[in-house]
Every structure is written in structure tokens, then in C-alpha cells.
Amino acid sequence: MKKLLFQFDTDTHPSTFDTVVAYDGGADHVIGHGSLTPENVTPLVEGTIFTRAPKDKQNTAIFIGGSNALAGQELLQAVQNHFFYGFQVSIMLDSNGCNTTAAAGVAKLGSSGKLAGKKAIILAGTGPVGQRAAVMMSQEGADVTIVSRQIEKSQQACAAMQERFGVTISATEAADMDTRADIIKDANIVFATGAAGVELLKEEHWKDIPSLEMIADANATPPLGIGGTDMMDKGIDRHGKIIWGAIGFGTLKLALHRACIGKLFESNTQTFDAEHIFKLAKEMA
Ligand code: NAP
């Protein structure tokens, strides 16, 4: 029986990155659908749940991706609304790599030092990766603040995270590097989750902060999010701080993504969202 992965993407074109990882994770065949919404997904879900016998249903699974994490979350909910006892397949949500990237970064930070009780700042934390990283840090007991160039955006993100995960995260605004530097001056952990190729801080902004213990940067496209670091940094020491670069923890991100795909086919009742993916990341880290 072939392992079929249906790639449901909220963007027009299903992510090629997600397609490659789906095959590498163990799917025999990947079928991509783009521009999916809660309104048009019904027949596609029905095709996955009404076809194979109960003992064979674990060979069909759904992956939800796309650049908008909120749209992904709504699509996940819509898909699950069609499931009922005996008629469901396993499903994974990872819009823009939000869960696997955040989980890998936070798990690696957690492997390098304590997160509980620490003051953590998520720079440019309003994107898919930043929001999930904020949630995972908060669930580990850190006091988390996300930074945006617009306070309304960071407040909206915090409200969405509170609604979905019940976590309390603070919101703040910084439109330039000097303001970001001021925000991190008494932080213990900084996780930069800005858009690709956007430098958020220079080395001079972080190297002399005594309270700062650890930095992670998700951006692997030069210039990096945090100046004075290297994307290959794997928990190395720079100026007395532990640094995780985007490729440094990206190896775990890819392994985690593949592992989740493989596990989708172990039974037909699993949901891989932030909670399960972060749990697995901590085991793998
Ligand atoms: P995103 O949504 O593209 O951007 C995140 C935030 O960056 C935005 O919400 C925006 O925040 C801020 N931003 C955009 N342009 C900016 C600018 N010119 N100056 C300052 N801030 C700016 O990012 P994402 O999809 O969450 O991904 C985060 C990062 O992870 C990206 O760099 C991505 O390439 C990387 N990534 C890494 C891996 C890995 O394995 N290492 C895997 C997947 C993704 P505000 O508008 O609120 O300021």
C-alpha cells in the first residue's frame, strides 16, 4: 500500500521545500494542492478519509503549509472538522516551517542553557516562526516579549497566541536597530526570527550586554539577522554568549521535519502541530 501525502497549501503554489522534505521523510507519493481555504477544502478531505479501509488509513496523511500561519491554523481546524470516529487521517501543520524551525531553535537553546525564568526577546517575532518560537519559549517558562516594527502587529500576534495556546506574551515595538538594542539590554535570551536577508542588530548592539546568555538567529540569508554571528554557529561561544545560527540549528529542523512526516504514517489519528513537534524536537536535540 503506497504512503500518500496530500500537501494542502494556503498559497497559490504548494511549497517545493515541503514537497522535497515530504519525499525525504518517507512518503511514496506527494500530491500538492494550492490556494486552499476552509471553504474549498471539503471534497479533498473527504477523498482522504472515505477511501481506504480502517487498517490501511494510516497510509494516507495530510500536510498543511503556506506562508500564512494563521491561514494554516484555520485550514487545519477546517480539515479536522470533517473528521469523525474511524474516518480521519494524520495531519501536520508547518506553515513556512513555523513549527519545525521554532521547535528546533528553541530546543537547541534549551540544550545549551536554562530557559525557565529567563527574559527572552523574539526579534521580528510577528512572523510564523517568531510566533511559534515565542509560544515554545513561554511554555518552557521564559518571560517572553515579541518585537515588531509596529506595536499593533505585535499585539495582534500576542492575542492570537493567547487564544490558541493560552500563553501570555508581551508585545513591544522597535522600528530601528538602536531601539532593538535598547529592548535587549537586560535580556537573557534573544531569538531573531526576522525576514530573510534583514539585519536586525549589529555585533556592537549585543556583544557587551552582561545579562545576555544565548542568541539564536533563524535567518540564513545574508545579511544575517544578528551581525557578528555565523549561520553555521552550533552553540559556540562569542563574547561570552552561546550562539545558534540558522544552519547550526537548521540541521535539526530538517531532521525533525522528516521525522514528523515519517511518523504521520504510523497511525491515522495523529496531529503534529506545535505541541507534538516541540516535544519531538526536545527528544531529538
Ligand atoms: P517572515 O514572516 O518573512 O518575517 C518575520 C518578520 O520579519 C515579519 O513579520 C516582520 O515583522 C519582520 N520584517 C520584515 N521585513 C523587515 C525589515 N525590513 N526590517 C525589520 N523587520 C522586518 O519570516 P518567517 O517566515 O517567520 O521566517 C523567519 C526566518 O526564519 C526567515 O529569515 C526565514 O528565512 C527563516 N527560516 C529558517 C529556517 C531554518 O531552518 N533556519 C527554516 C524556515 C525559515 P514586523 O513587520 O512585525 O516588524
Side-chain angles (χ1 to χ4, degrees):
M1 170 103 11
K2 286 211 165 27
K3 292 177 187 159
L4 304 180
L5 186 73
F6 289 89
Q7 193 184 337
F8 289 180
D9 207 301
T10 56
D11 290 350
T12 313
H13 302 292
S15 155
T16 52
F17 182 102
D18 291 337
T19 307
V20 173
V21 182
Y23 279 109
D24 292 348
D28 293 318
H29 196 56
V30 183
I31 307 96
H33 294 275
S35 302
L36 291 194
T37 65
E39 290 71 38
N40 65 15
V41 79
T42 304
L44 296 177
V45 181
E46 289 174 348
T48 67
I49 61 176
F50 289 126
T51 37
R52 288 172 157 174
K55 69 174 176 43
D56 295 327
K57 275 200 206 315
Q58 70 188 62
N59 295 303
T60 305
I62 295 172
F63 176 93
I64 295 183
S67 56
N68 184 329
L70 193 55
Q73 203 171 292
E74 287 169 358
L75 188 61
L76 172 76
Q77 188 59 59
V79 169
Q80 289 182 315
N81 287 346
H82 293 291
F83 292 168
F84 55 99
Y85 183 71
F87 291 85
Q88 68 181 99
V89 296
S90 287
I91 185 162
M92 173 174 176
L93 170 66
D94 202 26
S95 300
N96 251 24
C98 60
N99 283 322
T100 51
T101 308
V106 176
K108 283 296 187 188
L109 285 169
S111 74
S112 295
K114 202 172 144 218
L115 304 181
K118 301 292 177 165
K119 182 166 179 172
I121 305 290
I122 315 293
L123 293 176
T126 52
V129 176
Q131 291 193 37
R132 289 308 212 234
V135 167
M136 291 166 191
M137 288 272 208
S138 177
Q139 288 172 337
E140 290 299 289
D143 171 14
V144 183
T145 299
I146 64 168
V147 184
S148 166
R149 289 168 297 172
Q150 296 165 270
I151 187 68
E152 296 79 13
K153 257 184 101 174
S154 48
Q155 285 170 337
Q156 277 168 14
C158 289
M161 289 182 279
Q162 165 86 55
E163 188 182 337
R164 164 66 180 83
F165 296 97
V167 293
T168 301
I169 290 164
S170 303
T172 191
E173 176 183 89
D176 54 51
M177 284 194 196
D178 288 339
T179 315
R180 280 182 212 114
D182 196 47
I183 287 169
I184 67 160
K185 67 179 187 307
D186 58 352
N188 307 120
I189 301 167
V190 169
F191 195 165
T193 57
V198 173
E199 188 179 36
L200 298 169
L201 288 176
K202 293 195 179 293
E203 189 171 14
E204 72 210 43
H205 291 125
W206 59 266
K207 72 182 177 60
D208 296 322
I209 296 177
S211 62
L212 192 55
E213 298 168 14
M214 296 192 278
I215 297 177
D217 182 5
N219 169 23
T221 307
L224 303 182
I226 305 287
T229 67
D230 191 294
M231 68 176 85
M232 306 306 291
D233 286 351
K234 277 187 173 237
I236 68 154
D237 186 306
R238 291 184 189 270
H239 306 296
K241 290 100 179 64
I242 293 165
I243 313 290
W244 281 98
I247 306 298
F249 72 80
T251 315
L252 174 61
K253 177 253 161 8
L254 268 174
L256 176 64
H257 190 156
R258 289 189 198 113
C260 291
I261 297 288
K263 284 179 178 295
L264 284 172
F265 298 107
E266 290 178 0
S267 81
N268 70 317
T269 56
Q270 303 172 90
T271 302
F272 281 89
D273 196 350
E275 296 87 345
H276 277 77
I277 293 174
F278 187 41
K279 183 170 178 284
L280 186 59
K282 286 191 282 184
E283 288 164 18
M284 292 174 69

